Amino acid sequence: MAWDPVGKVAVITGASSGIGEATALRLARLGMTVVAAARRQDRLEALAARQPGIIAHVTDVTSTADVDALAARVRDEFGACHALLNNAGLGGGSFDGRDDLDDALHTLDVNLQGTIRCMAAFADLLEMSAPSRVINVASVAGKLGIGPAGYAASKFGTVGFTEATSLSWADRGITVCQLNPGFIETEGFPQTQVKRTPAGRVVGRPDDVARAIHRSLLDGATERTVPAWYRAFVVLRHVAAPLYRFGAARIDRASGSRD
Ligand SMILES: NC(=O)c1ccc[n+]([C@@H]2O[C@H](COP(=O)([O-])OP(=O)(O)OC[C@H]3O[C@@H](n4cnc5c(N)ncnc54)[C@H](OP(=O)(O)O)[C@@H]3O)[C@@H](O)[C@H]2O)c1
């Protein structure tokens, strides 16, 4: 039976800008109740004022207490969570040595552990609300080790956690999806360097990802790449690793991540 979003409850982390904000607007306009979570209260309140159906909730996903409080509020106020979108994330910097340790660990804490915290806090409510969806916004960098190493590690971890739970949670009526965007221009990921290269032509917009998230909610996909043709690089990575590494090294240099 088709999954009808109308009247359902969604929680989106990282909803104060970029992909999360675009997705909150899209889902609320469809008729979902959207709990928009992030740290910047002013941005969340401005978002809630723009569109009925959006509720602002300040959360830091690195805090287990914050995430548990978010889940408790959703359970108490709405009695259900039909869709959990783990989207909060940051890029982090390059990893060259000891000076970069804190940054890499923080990136893992937000991107990977934040996702795990949210899935832990919402698991029972998602099961009670089945058929329900978890969409983890990972990245093509979670399939290909390009860009800042801490970021790639956080997204490889997210892909692994997502793939494992997509199997182990299926019997509970919860579909867990890895949503892997390519280059998208947002506040945290301005793509300044990429836009200076030929690859700049393929930089997408937050709404491209919001549309893909919407589709994944409807069809219950367990994996989606935006745009889809990025999957060709993933296939190349596995079937022709030396050729892939040659190309990836050139892109890495051109994108300036070693500057
Ligand atoms: N843009 C791309 O090219 C791209 C490509 C692949 C994957 N992604 C992924 O897409 C997701 C969204 O990124 P975006 O591109 O939309 O960037 P963005 O506009 O910078 O949005 C990041 C969001 O994460 C939130 N956030 C950061 N740290 C947080 C924390 N500790 N607790 C709660 N929320 C936190 C930010 O809100 P506050 O600062 O208000 O907390 C913000 O709403 C990320 O997971 C990113 O890795 C992006």
PDB file of all heavy atoms in Angstrom, residues 14 16 22 35 38 70 79 84-85 89 113 116 120 126 135 140 176 216 223 234 239 248 254:
ATOM      1  N   GLY A  14      18.933  19.216  11.696  1.00  0.00           N
ATOM      2  CA  GLY A  14      19.647  20.101  10.776  1.00  0.00           C
ATOM      3  C   GLY A  14      18.677  20.840   9.868  1.00  0.00           C
ATOM      4  O   GLY A  14      18.948  21.065   8.689  1.00  0.00           O
ATOM      5  N   SER A  16      17.655  23.967  10.157  1.00  0.00           N
ATOM      6  CA  SER A  16      17.744  25.436  10.184  1.00  0.00           C
ATOM      7  C   SER A  16      18.354  26.026   8.916  1.00  0.00           C
ATOM      8  O   SER A  16      18.378  27.245   8.758  1.00  0.00           O
ATOM      9  CB  SER A  16      18.550  25.886  11.410  1.00  0.00           C
ATOM     10  OG  SER A  16      19.848  25.337  11.352  1.00  0.00           O
ATOM     11  N   ALA A  22      14.967  23.026   3.267  1.00  0.00           N
ATOM     12  CA  ALA A  22      14.195  22.794   2.033  1.00  0.00           C
ATOM     13  C   ALA A  22      13.259  21.595   2.208  1.00  0.00           C
ATOM     14  O   ALA A  22      12.120  21.605   1.733  1.00  0.00           O
ATOM     15  CB  ALA A  22      15.159  22.564   0.863  1.00  0.00           C
ATOM     16  N   VAL A  35       8.612  18.462  12.760  1.00  0.00           N
ATOM     17  CA  VAL A  35       9.367  18.981  13.903  1.00  0.00           C
ATOM     18  C   VAL A  35      10.778  19.270  13.394  1.00  0.00           C
ATOM     19  O   VAL A  35      11.512  18.353  13.000  1.00  0.00           O
ATOM     20  CB  VAL A  35       9.379  17.993  15.083  1.00  0.00           C
ATOM     21  CG1 VAL A  35      10.178  18.572  16.244  1.00  0.00           C
ATOM     22  CG2 VAL A  35       7.954  17.657  15.501  1.00  0.00           C
ATOM     23  N   ALA A  38      17.439  21.789  15.312  1.00  0.00           N
ATOM     24  CA  ALA A  38      18.816  22.235  15.074  1.00  0.00           C
ATOM     25  C   ALA A  38      19.212  23.079  16.283  1.00  0.00           C
ATOM     26  O   ALA A  38      18.434  23.173  17.250  1.00  0.00           O
ATOM     27  CB  ALA A  38      18.926  23.049  13.777  1.00  0.00           C
ATOM     28  N   LEU A  70      14.023  15.666  22.674  1.00  0.00           N
ATOM     29  CA  LEU A  70      13.310  15.828  21.394  1.00  0.00           C
ATOM     30  C   LEU A  70      12.335  14.665  21.187  1.00  0.00           C
ATOM     31  O   LEU A  70      11.156  14.870  20.859  1.00  0.00           O
ATOM     32  CB  LEU A  70      14.338  15.897  20.251  1.00  0.00           C
ATOM     33  CG  LEU A  70      13.805  15.818  18.826  1.00  0.00           C
ATOM     34  CD1 LEU A  70      12.940  17.041  18.485  1.00  0.00           C
ATOM     35  CD2 LEU A  70      14.968  15.712  17.818  1.00  0.00           C
ATOM     36  N   GLY A  79       2.337  11.702  19.712  1.00  0.00           N
ATOM     37  CA  GLY A  79       2.062  10.269  19.900  1.00  0.00           C
ATOM     38  C   GLY A  79       2.579   9.390  18.777  1.00  0.00           C
ATOM     39  O   GLY A  79       2.276   8.191  18.735  1.00  0.00           O
ATOM     40  N   LEU A  84      11.791   9.877  10.409  1.00  0.00           N
ATOM     41  CA  LEU A  84      12.935  10.523  11.075  1.00  0.00           C
ATOM     42  C   LEU A  84      13.989  10.781  10.019  1.00  0.00           C
ATOM     43  O   LEU A  84      14.470   9.837   9.369  1.00  0.00           O
ATOM     44  CB  LEU A  84      13.506   9.609  12.170  1.00  0.00           C
ATOM     45  CG  LEU A  84      14.843  10.058  12.778  1.00  0.00           C
ATOM     46  CD1 LEU A  84      14.680  11.377  13.536  1.00  0.00           C
ATOM     47  CD2 LEU A  84      15.391   8.972  13.723  1.00  0.00           C
ATOM     48  N   LEU A  85      14.335  12.048   9.838  1.00  0.00           N
ATOM     49  CA  LEU A  85      15.333  12.418   8.831  1.00  0.00           C
ATOM     50  C   LEU A  85      16.587  12.907   9.542  1.00  0.00           C
ATOM     51  O   LEU A  85      16.611  14.019  10.105  1.00  0.00           O
ATOM     52  CB  LEU A  85      14.776  13.528   7.926  1.00  0.00           C
ATOM     53  CG  LEU A  85      13.884  13.087   6.761  1.00  0.00           C
ATOM     54  CD1 LEU A  85      12.712  12.228   7.203  1.00  0.00           C
ATOM     55  CD2 LEU A  85      13.354  14.300   6.036  1.00  0.00           C
ATOM     56  N   GLY A  89      24.558  17.935   9.986  1.00  0.00           N
ATOM     57  CA  GLY A  89      25.921  17.549   9.639  1.00  0.00           C
ATOM     58  C   GLY A  89      26.784  18.744   9.322  1.00  0.00           C
ATOM     59  O   GLY A  89      26.297  19.845   9.060  1.00  0.00           O
ATOM     60  N   GLN A 113      27.615   9.901  15.158  1.00  0.00           N
ATOM     61  CA  GLN A 113      27.019   9.595  16.463  1.00  0.00           C
ATOM     62  C   GLN A 113      25.692  10.320  16.667  1.00  0.00           C
ATOM     63  O   GLN A 113      24.787   9.797  17.313  1.00  0.00           O
ATOM     64  CB  GLN A 113      28.013   9.915  17.579  1.00  0.00           C
ATOM     65  CG  GLN A 113      29.222   8.978  17.508  1.00  0.00           C
ATOM     66  CD  GLN A 113      30.266   9.216  18.576  1.00  0.00           C
ATOM     67  OE1 GLN A 113      31.361   8.728  18.441  1.00  0.00           O
ATOM     68  NE2 GLN A 113      29.960   9.939  19.616  1.00  0.00           N
ATOM     69  N   ILE A 116      23.178   8.095  15.193  1.00  0.00           N
ATOM     70  CA  ILE A 116      22.950   6.921  16.058  1.00  0.00           C
ATOM     71  C   ILE A 116      22.124   7.321  17.279  1.00  0.00           C
ATOM     72  O   ILE A 116      21.181   6.613  17.678  1.00  0.00           O
ATOM     73  CB  ILE A 116      24.297   6.288  16.465  1.00  0.00           C
ATOM     74  CG1 ILE A 116      25.027   5.752  15.224  1.00  0.00           C
ATOM     75  CG2 ILE A 116      24.089   5.175  17.495  1.00  0.00           C
ATOM     76  CD1 ILE A 116      26.440   5.247  15.486  1.00  0.00           C
ATOM     77  N   ALA A 120      18.465   5.783  18.165  1.00  0.00           N
ATOM     78  CA  ALA A 120      18.229   5.128  19.467  1.00  0.00           C
ATOM     79  C   ALA A 120      17.021   5.749  20.164  1.00  0.00           C
ATOM     80  O   ALA A 120      16.141   5.043  20.673  1.00  0.00           O
ATOM     81  CB  ALA A 120      19.481   5.256  20.338  1.00  0.00           C
ATOM     82  N   LEU A 126       9.127   4.954  16.378  1.00  0.00           N
ATOM     83  CA  LEU A 126       9.053   4.609  14.951  1.00  0.00           C
ATOM     84  C   LEU A 126       8.352   3.265  14.775  1.00  0.00           C
ATOM     85  O   LEU A 126       7.527   3.083  13.876  1.00  0.00           O
ATOM     86  CB  LEU A 126      10.459   4.557  14.345  1.00  0.00           C
ATOM     87  CG  LEU A 126      11.147   5.902  14.113  1.00  0.00           C
ATOM     88  CD1 LEU A 126      12.657   5.726  13.970  1.00  0.00           C
ATOM     89  CD2 LEU A 126      10.585   6.603  12.867  1.00  0.00           C
ATOM     90  N   ILE A 135      15.384   8.254   7.199  1.00  0.00           N
ATOM     91  CA  ILE A 135      16.234   8.620   6.060  1.00  0.00           C
ATOM     92  C   ILE A 135      17.488   9.284   6.616  1.00  0.00           C
ATOM     93  O   ILE A 135      17.409  10.332   7.267  1.00  0.00           O
ATOM     94  CB  ILE A 135      15.486   9.540   5.070  1.00  0.00           C
ATOM     95  CG1 ILE A 135      14.291   8.755   4.504  1.00  0.00           C
ATOM     96  CG2 ILE A 135      16.426  10.017   3.969  1.00  0.00           C
ATOM     97  CD1 ILE A 135      13.523   9.440   3.419  1.00  0.00           C
ATOM     98  N   VAL A 140      27.768  10.935  -1.071  1.00  0.00           N
ATOM     99  CA  VAL A 140      28.619  10.178  -1.988  1.00  0.00           C
ATOM    100  C   VAL A 140      29.997   9.987  -1.350  1.00  0.00           C
ATOM    101  O   VAL A 140      30.671   8.982  -1.579  1.00  0.00           O
ATOM    102  CB  VAL A 140      28.711  10.913  -3.348  1.00  0.00           C
ATOM    103  CG1 VAL A 140      29.762  10.283  -4.245  1.00  0.00           C
ATOM    104  CG2 VAL A 140      27.351  10.917  -4.041  1.00  0.00           C
ATOM    105  N   VAL A 176      14.778   1.857   6.520  1.00  0.00           N
ATOM    106  CA  VAL A 176      15.919   2.753   6.779  1.00  0.00           C
ATOM    107  C   VAL A 176      16.658   2.981   5.461  1.00  0.00           C
ATOM    108  O   VAL A 176      17.099   2.020   4.818  1.00  0.00           O
ATOM    109  CB  VAL A 176      16.868   2.171   7.847  1.00  0.00           C
ATOM    110  CG1 VAL A 176      17.959   3.176   8.194  1.00  0.00           C
ATOM    111  CG2 VAL A 176      16.098   1.769   9.100  1.00  0.00           C
ATOM    112  N   SER A 216      11.772   9.104  -1.553  1.00  0.00           N
ATOM    113  CA  SER A 216      12.156   7.951  -0.721  1.00  0.00           C
ATOM    114  C   SER A 216      11.116   7.676   0.355  1.00  0.00           C
ATOM    115  O   SER A 216      10.906   6.517   0.739  1.00  0.00           O
ATOM    116  CB  SER A 216      13.534   8.187  -0.093  1.00  0.00           C
ATOM    117  OG  SER A 216      14.479   8.416  -1.109  1.00  0.00           O
ATOM    118  N   GLU A 223      18.058   3.028  -0.568  1.00  0.00           N
ATOM    119  CA  GLU A 223      19.248   3.770  -1.006  1.00  0.00           C
ATOM    120  C   GLU A 223      18.865   4.671  -2.172  1.00  0.00           C
ATOM    121  O   GLU A 223      18.132   4.252  -3.064  1.00  0.00           O
ATOM    122  CB  GLU A 223      20.353   2.790  -1.453  1.00  0.00           C
ATOM    123  CG  GLU A 223      21.616   3.492  -1.911  1.00  0.00           C
ATOM    124  CD  GLU A 223      22.797   2.530  -2.102  1.00  0.00           C
ATOM    125  OE1 GLU A 223      22.652   1.334  -1.777  1.00  0.00           O
ATOM    126  OE2 GLU A 223      23.846   2.984  -2.575  1.00  0.00           O
ATOM    127  N   VAL A 234      30.787   5.076  -8.021  1.00  0.00           N
ATOM    128  CA  VAL A 234      30.838   4.048  -6.980  1.00  0.00           C
ATOM    129  C   VAL A 234      31.117   2.693  -7.627  1.00  0.00           C
ATOM    130  O   VAL A 234      31.940   1.905  -7.144  1.00  0.00           O
ATOM    131  CB  VAL A 234      29.511   4.022  -6.171  1.00  0.00           C
ATOM    132  CG1 VAL A 234      29.561   2.935  -5.106  1.00  0.00           C
ATOM    133  CG2 VAL A 234      29.240   5.393  -5.562  1.00  0.00           C
ATOM    134  N   VAL A 239      34.968  -1.804  -9.354  1.00  0.00           N
ATOM    135  CA  VAL A 239      35.375  -2.726 -10.425  1.00  0.00           C
ATOM    136  C   VAL A 239      36.707  -2.334 -11.068  1.00  0.00           C
ATOM    137  O   VAL A 239      37.335  -3.150 -11.715  1.00  0.00           O
ATOM    138  CB  VAL A 239      34.285  -2.882 -11.522  1.00  0.00           C
ATOM    139  CG1 VAL A 239      33.008  -3.431 -10.944  1.00  0.00           C
ATOM    140  CG2 VAL A 239      34.053  -1.585 -12.270  1.00  0.00           C
ATOM    141  N   ALA A 248      40.348  10.190  -9.029  1.00  0.00           N
ATOM    142  CA  ALA A 248      40.022  10.826  -7.747  1.00  0.00           C
ATOM    143  C   ALA A 248      41.161  11.739  -7.288  1.00  0.00           C
ATOM    144  O   ALA A 248      40.926  12.830  -6.750  1.00  0.00           O
ATOM    145  CB  ALA A 248      39.734   9.758  -6.695  1.00  0.00           C
ATOM    146  N   ALA A 254      42.412  19.269  -7.906  1.00  0.00           N
ATOM    147  CA  ALA A 254      41.705  20.378  -8.573  1.00  0.00           C
ATOM    148  C   ALA A 254      40.745  21.077  -7.621  1.00  0.00           C
ATOM    149  O   ALA A 254      40.537  22.285  -7.698  1.00  0.00           O
ATOM    150  CB  ALA A 254      40.938  19.856  -9.785  1.00  0.00           C
TER     151      ALA A 254
END
